[in-house]
Every structure is written in C-alpha cells, then in structure tokens.
Amino acid sequence: MKILHTSDWHIGRTFHGQSTLDHLRQVFGAMVEIVKQNDVDVVVVSGDIFDSSMPSAENFTVLSTVLRDIKAAGASVVMTSGNHDSATRLGFQSEWAGLAGIHVITGFDQYLRPIIIEDEYGPVNFYGIPYLEPSLIRHHYPSHELKTHEQVLTFAMDGIRADIARSDARSVVLSHCFVSDVAASSEATDVERDITAGGLNLVPAAAFDGPDYVALGHIHGRTTITERVRYSGAPLHYSFGEAAKPRGGWLVTLDAGGLDEVTWIDFPVPRRLSVLTDDLEALLSDATYASAESDWVCAILTDRVRPVDAMRRLQRRFPFCAMLEHRPSVVVESSATTYGERVKQKTDREIVAGFLEHVRNGVGPSEFETDIVNDVFAEQRVKEASE
C-alpha cells in the first residue's frame, strides 16, 4: 500500500493579507498528479484542514474539489480535524462521505474505530486522532487524569495499542500535536498556534510506540522524529519563518510486514519567499535582487534612518513585498545614565540635537534643521523678553 502523508492544509489562510487560495489550488492539482503517477492508495491529512473554525463557502468548494479529484485519481482519503478546525463543521455528513472513500475523523473517541482499507496483503487499520484539547474531553473520562496533551495522547494511544494487539492488521496513526523531540519554541512559526508555556502541549515520541507509521501534523516544516514517526509540514509557505522549509509530503510504502520505505516528494512552490537585507536604495536599484521581483518579499532595511514611504517605493519593484523591518546597520550604544543626568550640563540646542540623534540612530540635525531650531529659540527669547 502507498500512502501520501500530508497535513496542515489551512484552506482559507491569508499571507500578510493576500489570499492563498489560487496557490493552494495549484498545489492540490500537483498533489492529484502525484497520486496518479505514484499509484497512491490513500492520502492522509493530519489536521488543520481549514484555517478557521468558520470557513467560507469558497473554502468548502476548494476542499470538495480536491477530495473529488483525489478520489477520481484512484486514492481514498483519511483526514482528521486540527486545532484550527471546527470538528462539528468538518465532520458534517462524514458518515456519508465515508461510503465514498473520504473518511473524516472528528469525534473525540472515533480513533477507537479504525478505518480499514485493504491491499493485496490484507487490511491496514487507520487510526485518526483528532486534536484533543484536554479541557474539552476530560469530563468524558472522570476516572483518568487528563490535564496535559501528553496524558491525553498517551491515553488515546493505549486504546489504539490494545486494538492493534487484537488484530493482525498493519496500522497507521494520524495525530495533530507537538512531539517533544521537536523543539516547539524554535520549530514552530507564527502560524502554528496554541503553544503553551511550560511544555503542557508537548508529547513524547514514545507515546506513539506501536503502529507501523505515525503521520503527524501541527508543525509546518518537514521533520523526521524516527523512521516511522514524521511530520510532513504544510503544502504552502504561510510565514516568512518557513521560507527555508521545503514543501511536500511523505510517500509511505507498506509491505506485508509493515513499514517498507518512506520517500519525500516535493510540491511546487507557486511563489517563492525571499528575505532581502540591504539599504533601501540598494534594494531599489541593485541588479542582484532582480530575481526576487516576483517573490513574496520581506525587506529588512539597514538604513541608519528609517526611510520615508519605504513600502510604497519597494512595491514598485517588488509588487509582492509583504513585510518591512528596519534594522539599522549602525546602532547607538545605550547608556545606563538617566536622561536627566545626560542633559544636566547641556544647552537647549544641544538637548534638541541629542534627541534627534537618539531617535534617528546616531544621525543628528542637518544644517537646515539647526537653522529651524535656532529660529525657534530666538522667537522664544523675544517672547519671554516682552512679557
């Protein structure tokens, strides 16, 4: 059996205010071709199908289209709900969809009823664990302590392992969670939400001992925990923090004895992400940056003074410039003395000049600005003398 492991589709998510639906349609089209070319039997999606618990009608249409196309290409689908999804909305009419080979698992205890798909070697049991928030399910099991994700996932996997022990079938588990072998603080990007301080959301890899393969979701980058426990990552880049992470899925092959081979298959990247660091004039004129003109661009400006109207000027060359940061190449060292101590022996003009130098990262007043300051103080002296 060949399984394409994907996750975190996040249908409906925007990228810095721009819709990603057209790009996602391109990737889904490529995914369908991968299913055809590799004779994939099952596509699994480990949570976060939608980006919102209230997806729009257009988002549902995108999902319906890709599911129909995957089925027409010859593969079944097994998917679970993630923390972004509404389990109720995603699971609506899942019973009828399952009759067509589209299996949507959203119920908190549905993992105990595996989806059984057969190949020439016999049955394969797919156990889908939806995102299980401890505070929302612990009341179903009052005799068990279920305060953390580790406790909840261990409890769920204990039930799955018991079912595996009763069956000769090979097994695949889907789960949407943070595994402790992945450093959540460094691996998670700004779109991977719900990271709890203190590690309450982390689950040790050992909790998933038993199945032939574990298809994880929640982390947006490709990650191998063990040979049989992996993250596939998201199909699109949803943050500049993901720029260096490849997009694709794992092609998992099961033989008669269980896991045989796992290989990576790249998905197309409809628009690259580029992080450009230089002063504004160089970004606007240097030929070195010509290759990024059609990319999503994060521009990091190194000018000593923040340029005026920088985003508008950048977007003339880089129409898809989506993010702007100012990191001056020269930064004035901070002082431990108080402001009052620093200006105590200074004249009014020196105080103004020092203020301008401070807020503009070491750049003091120009000759024109000095003349304005002198004029203002002169007018003030005249006013004070006439009172």
Side-chain angles (χ1 to χ4, degrees):
M1 179 176 290
K2 291 185 177 180
I3 303 164
L4 182 62
H5 167 197
T6 74
S7 73
D8 296 272
W9 286 4
H10 286 280
I11 300 172
R13 184 167 186 84
T14 60
F15 184 86
H16 293 272
Q18 301 293 321
S19 173
T20 62
L21 284 182
D22 285 343
H23 289 171
L24 197 54
R25 289 187 183 99
Q26 293 179 43
V27 174
F28 284 161
M31 189 185 300
V32 172
E33 290 303 312
I34 289 169
V35 169
K36 294 177 182 178
Q37 294 169 10
N38 293 275
D39 296 321
V40 172
D41 299 294
V42 184
V43 175
V44 302
V45 194
S46 300
D48 282 355
I49 312 304
F50 292 113
D51 188 63
S52 167
S53 61
M54 299 182 66
S56 68
E58 185 179 15
N59 295 340
F60 269 107
T61 299
V62 171
L63 176 62
S64 298
T65 299
V66 66
L67 294 179
R68 182 191 63 227
D69 292 347
I70 289 173
K71 184 60 182 175
S76 299
V77 177
V78 179
M79 60 170 59
T80 62
S81 52
N83 59 302
H84 283 241
D85 297 307
S86 164
T88 301
R89 288 186 175 87
L90 184 63
F92 179 64
Q93 293 190 339
S94 59
E95 180 181 355
W96 315 117
L99 298 177
I102 307 297
H103 306 281
V104 185
I105 302 170
T106 62
F108 73 92
D109 61 350
Q110 204 172 343
Y111 62 85
L112 293 173
R113 302 185 295 278
I115 305 300
I116 302 173
I117 301 175
E118 298 201 4
D119 64 5
E120 64 268 33
Y121 302 115
V124 176
N125 288 357
F126 289 82
Y127 300 90
I129 306 176
Y131 184 79
L132 299 178
E133 177 58 46
S135 62
L136 298 180
I137 71 162
R138 64 170 68 108
H139 67 281
H140 293 289
Y141 308 99
S143 61
H144 294 80
E145 184 177 12
L146 301 176
K147 294 182 178 179
T148 69
H149 282 262
E150 177 181 353
Q151 292 171 335
V152 170
L153 268 298
T154 299
F155 175 76
M157 284 301 303
D158 285 343
I160 290 172
R161 278 187 284 267
D163 193 68
I164 292 173
R166 292 189 293 267
S167 171
D168 293 330
R170 293 153 292 162
S171 56
V172 174
V173 167
L174 289 69
S175 183
H176 193 82
C177 63
F178 283 119
V179 174
S180 59
D181 295 66
V182 176
S185 61
S186 61
E187 289 291 335
T189 65
D190 56 338
V191 296
E192 293 156 357
R193 304 173 194 158
D194 197 33
I195 303 174
T196 303
L200 293 180
N201 277 4
L202 298 178
V203 181
F208 292 100
D209 287 347
D212 292 296
Y213 185 77
V214 179
L216 296 175
H218 210 16
I219 293 292
H220 284 196
R222 176 184 69 185
T223 305
T224 299
I225 307 302
T226 69
E227 283 302 305
R228 59 176 194 82
V229 181
R230 299 170 185 255
Y231 285 100
S232 65
L236 285 181
H237 292 109
Y238 290 116
S239 164
F240 282 105
E242 301 171 6
K245 299 178 180 181
R247 304 289 88 170
W250 293 110
L251 183 61
V252 181
T253 304
L254 302 181
D255 61 14
L259 183 63
D260 177 37
E261 183 181 19
V262 183
T263 57
W264 177 256
I265 295 184
D266 287 312
F267 292 165
V269 178
R271 193 181 305 284
R272 298 183 309 170
L273 276 68
S274 292
V275 180
L276 309 180
T277 304
D278 213 329
D279 62 69
L280 178 60
E281 292 307 318
L283 292 178
L284 294 176
S285 59
D286 197 325
T288 304
Y289 303 116
S291 62
E293 289 177 357
S294 297
D295 297 353
W296 292 117
V297 169
C298 171
I300 300 176
L301 303 183
T302 60
D303 304 72
R304 294 180 67 185
V305 178
R306 180 184 292 273
V308 176
D309 208 14
M311 179 61 87
R312 183 182 61 83
R313 296 168 66 188
L314 282 165
Q315 288 178 340
R316 290 175 181 172
R317 184 178 190 186
F318 307 103
F320 303 102
C321 183
M323 188 173 179
L324 180 64
E325 294 184 33
H326 183 222
R327 299 182 192 170
S329 55
V330 178
V331 180
V332 178
E333 293 184 4
S334 61
S335 172
T337 59
T338 67
Y339 179 76
E341 292 171 337
R342 293 198 300 273
V343 303
K344 189 174 182 180
Q345 303 298 326
K346 293 184 177 182
T347 66
D348 291 341
R349 291 180 178 81
E350 289 173 334
I351 292 173
V352 173
F355 172 77
L356 292 174
E357 186 174 351
H358 172 71
V359 298
R360 300 196 301 201
N361 297 296
V363 179
S366 64
E367 182 178 348
F368 175 72
E369 290 169 333
T370 299
D371 289 341
I372 292 177
V373 171
N374 289 337
D375 289 343
V376 169
F377 281 125
E379 290 177 6
Q380 183 64 22
R381 286 197 301 271
V382 171
K383 181 179 179 181
E384 291 174 351
S386 63
E387 291 178 350

